[in-house]
Amino acid sequence: MMIEHLSPGLILVIGAFLVPVLRGHWRAAYMLLLPILCGWQMLNLEPGDYSTFNAFDYPLVMLRVDKLSLIFGYIFTIASFLSVIYALHVKDTVQQVAGLSYAGAAICAAFAGDLISLFVFWELTAITSVFLIWAARSERAFRTGMRYLVIQVGSGVLLLSGAILIIGDTGSVTFDKIGLDSLGGKLILISFGIKAAFPLLHNWLQDAYPEATVTGTVFLSAFTTKLAIYALARGFPGTEMLIWIGATMTAFPIFFAVIENDLRRVLAYSLNNQLGFMVVGIGIGTE
């Protein structure tokens, strides 16, 4: 398997573990180089399926390159570069390693061509991102991080449950339009909805993001919810229900934001509001 046919996000996931070995300007230069290399590989990708192998007689596609995966890949790579710039002043390598591997996991998920690969990287984003909350090293941050982790891992469990049902019904693991015709599709929509902070499934966002370190919040705001937007665009384009869910998301956070005194919580509600516009767009749009 040629290295150019590996998922670009693996450059960040694997490369992150060398960060603690380096010091000073060498570490800063290396951290900036990783997203540049990731972006360079992405620019040289041709449409198609790569890194395919069989697991339990099902074909898994670790790298599916098309217009939708590429646009989110580009956005995530740019976001990772900007987040790294913000993280350069941090002396805590836990945040730097967690941030880079978290960004890489999100990029890998955007290029996953099957539901099983998506599940693996979906959960990896949860496991890596929680360290950005725990890095605050306070009792409150620890408790908030545990709630965040339970909810995010629970989202992955729903995704896996839905995937198993869909595989049983169709015999296919391909991650394309899913729809709501089956129980598996409904479970996966709830899974995506948790990560996208749908109404009544949103409290983890306003609780967790303000408790992370400042650098952690920069990383968190860029990937978890946007990965869910990508997954919705891939799995549920043109689903009319999303128009009403998204419209509700654009409205209700504003009422909480105007009575909130913590600026970071205000920004979290604002993020929830902006996600609503994206969800509406997915509901209106089609494949």
Side-chain angles (χ1 to χ4, degrees), residues 33 35 43 45 47 55 85 89 107 141 145 162 175 180 194 247 258 272:
L33 180 62
L43 289 171
L45 290 174
I85 291 175
H89 72 284
I107 293 171
F175 178 34
L180 295 174
I194 292 172
V258 296
N272 210 167

Side-chain angles (χ1 to χ4, degrees), residues 6-10 45 48-53 59-66 68-70 72-73 76 104-123 159 173-178 192 227 230-231 234-235:
L6 292 175
S7 180
L10 292 176
L45 290 174
D49 293 343
Y50 306 99
S51 299
T52 59
F53 60 93
L60 305 187
V61 181
M62 300 288 286
L63 179 59
R64 189 248 313 272
V65 182
D66 60 16
L68 185 61
S69 60
L70 278 174
F72 275 87
F76 286 167
I107 293 171
C108 287
F111 284 99
D114 64 271
L115 291 168
I116 303 304
S117 299
L118 176 68
F119 163 74
V120 171
F121 294 117
W122 194 268
E123 294 292 56
L159 170 57
V173 296
T174 302
F175 178 34
D176 276 316
K177 184 172 182 179
I178 298 171
F192 293 172
L227 174 58
Y230 160 77
R234 173 76 69 184

Side-chain angles (χ1 to χ4, degrees), residues 107-273:
I107 293 171
C108 287
F111 284 99
D114 64 271
L115 291 168
I116 303 304
S117 299
L118 176 68
F119 163 74
V120 171
F121 294 117
W122 194 268
E123 294 292 56
L124 186 58
T125 60
I127 294 168
T128 51
S129 60
V130 74
F131 287 97
L132 297 170
I133 302 171
W134 285 340
R137 293 176 172 83
S138 67
E139 181 64 27
R140 182 170 177 175
F142 176 76
R143 292 197 304 269
T144 301
M146 286 301 299
R147 288 197 300 271
Y148 170 88
L149 185 61
V150 168
I151 291 169
Q152 294 299 314
V153 170
S155 169
V157 171
L158 287 172
L159 170 57
L160 181 61
S161 301
I164 291 172
L165 290 174
I166 288 175
I167 293 168
D169 291 340
T170 66
S172 173
V173 296
T174 302
F175 178 34
D176 276 316
K177 184 172 182 179
I178 298 171
L180 295 174
D181 296 332
S182 66
L183 175 60
K186 293 179 176 67
L187 289 176
I188 291 177
L189 179 64
I190 296 172
S191 169
F192 293 172
I194 292 172
K195 228 176 182 68
F198 279 7
L200 305 181
L201 303 175
H202 68 284
N203 287 333
W204 64 266
L205 193 158
Q206 288 81 14
D207 288 343
Y209 284 18
E211 296 304 323
T213 64
V214 176
T215 297
T217 303
V218 172
F219 274 98
L220 287 167
S221 65
F223 298 107
T224 294
T225 50
K226 310 314 178 299
L227 174 58
I229 294 299
Y230 160 77
L232 287 168
R234 173 76 69 184
F236 299 94
T239 301
E240 186 175 351
M241 179 192 302
L242 294 179
I243 299 174
W244 309 111
I245 292 174
T248 304
M249 289 173 69
T250 65
F252 85 86
I254 302 303
F255 297 103
F256 291 96
V258 296
I259 61 173
E260 181 59 61
N261 293 321
D262 185 325
L263 182 57
R264 290 172 71 183
R265 289 182 68 87
V266 172
L267 292 173
Y269 282 117
S270 176
L271 171 62
N272 210 167
N273 160 263

Side-chain angles (χ1 to χ4, degrees), residues 79-106:
S80 67
F81 183 78
L82 295 175
S83 298
V84 165
I85 291 175
Y86 196 85
L88 291 179
H89 72 284
V90 175
K91 306 301 181 184
D92 183 6
T93 55
V94 170
Q95 294 184 63
Q96 294 169 335
V97 171
L100 282 168
S101 54
Y102 166 49

